[in-house]
Amino acid sequence: MDEIDRTIVNLLRADGRTSYAELARRVGLTAPSVQDRVVKLERNGVIAGYKAVIDSEAIGLGITALIGIIPDNSADHLDICERLRAIPQIESCYFLAGVECYQLKVRVPKMGDLEQLIHRVGAIPGVAQTRTTITLSTKWEDRPQPIPEDGDGHGVG
């Protein structure tokens, strides 16, 4: 991945709806050349998808919580992951090093919904304990980091 690819990716991370014409203007190429680069970045997995960023409170999901999962010794991690993936209120699931093996980011409309979700997660076979932290506010999230100039491992170019 060269400097132009990094610039294109950074521009798309800031606004995934940026047109090829605007990207081309910003990087000094033609729109077809930028389109070819974007297609190559998509094909190589650098760009994995596009999404709309939604205000969770505006759609009725005003409660955000982090749920840590401590497994028991008999935990089947593949089964736990499959069961967690089936719960739509879980937005993110991270596998961790440490006492808690998983960290979940969840969003729900009301406290009662969070309580039910905690019980549902706790009832998954292999889950010994959960620890929940309720967020009071979100200062920022999903902030893109600059793309490193080396060590990207993709070899796109």
Side-chain angles (χ1 to χ4, degrees), residues 82-151:
E82 285 178 28
R83 291 174 186 259
L84 292 172
R85 188 181 306 278
I87 301 173
Q89 295 89 344
I90 300 173
E91 286 192 0
S92 302
C93 176
Y94 303 96
F95 187 67
L96 309 174
V99 175
E100 294 178 2
C101 280
Y102 298 95
Q103 183 75 45
L104 313 175
K105 180 173 84 171
V106 304
R107 293 191 201 271
V108 295
K110 302 177 298 209
M111 276 301 186
D113 299 317
L114 179 59
E115 182 179 3
Q116 290 176 353
L117 180 58
I118 292 166
H119 288 300
R120 183 175 177 187
V121 169
I124 293 173
V127 173
Q129 185 179 353
T130 62
R131 295 182 186 172
T132 302
T133 303
I134 299 170
T135 65
L136 299 177
S137 66
T138 301
K139 303 306 181 193
W140 74 80
E141 64 184 340
D142 298 328
R143 178 174 61 181
Q145 296 182 34
I147 300 171
E149 289 189 32
D150 57 357

Side-chain angles (χ1 to χ4, degrees), residues 43-112:
R43 193 173 335 126
N44 289 323
V46 174
I47 298 174
Y50 301 88
K51 66 179 182 177
V53 179
I54 306 298
D55 179 334
S56 296
E57 285 191 41
I59 61 169
L61 298 175
I63 297 175
T64 302
L66 304 173
I67 301 174
I69 296 176
I70 301 170
D72 64 25
N73 291 334
S74 67
D76 177 344
H77 290 281
L78 291 176
D79 183 58
I80 290 173
C81 281
E82 285 178 28
R83 291 174 186 259
L84 292 172
R85 188 181 306 278
I87 301 173
Q89 295 89 344
I90 300 173
E91 286 192 0
S92 302
C93 176
Y94 303 96
F95 187 67
L96 309 174
V99 175
E100 294 178 2
C101 280
Y102 298 95
Q103 183 75 45
L104 313 175
K105 180 173 84 171
V106 304
R107 293 191 201 271
V108 295
K110 302 177 298 209
M111 276 301 186

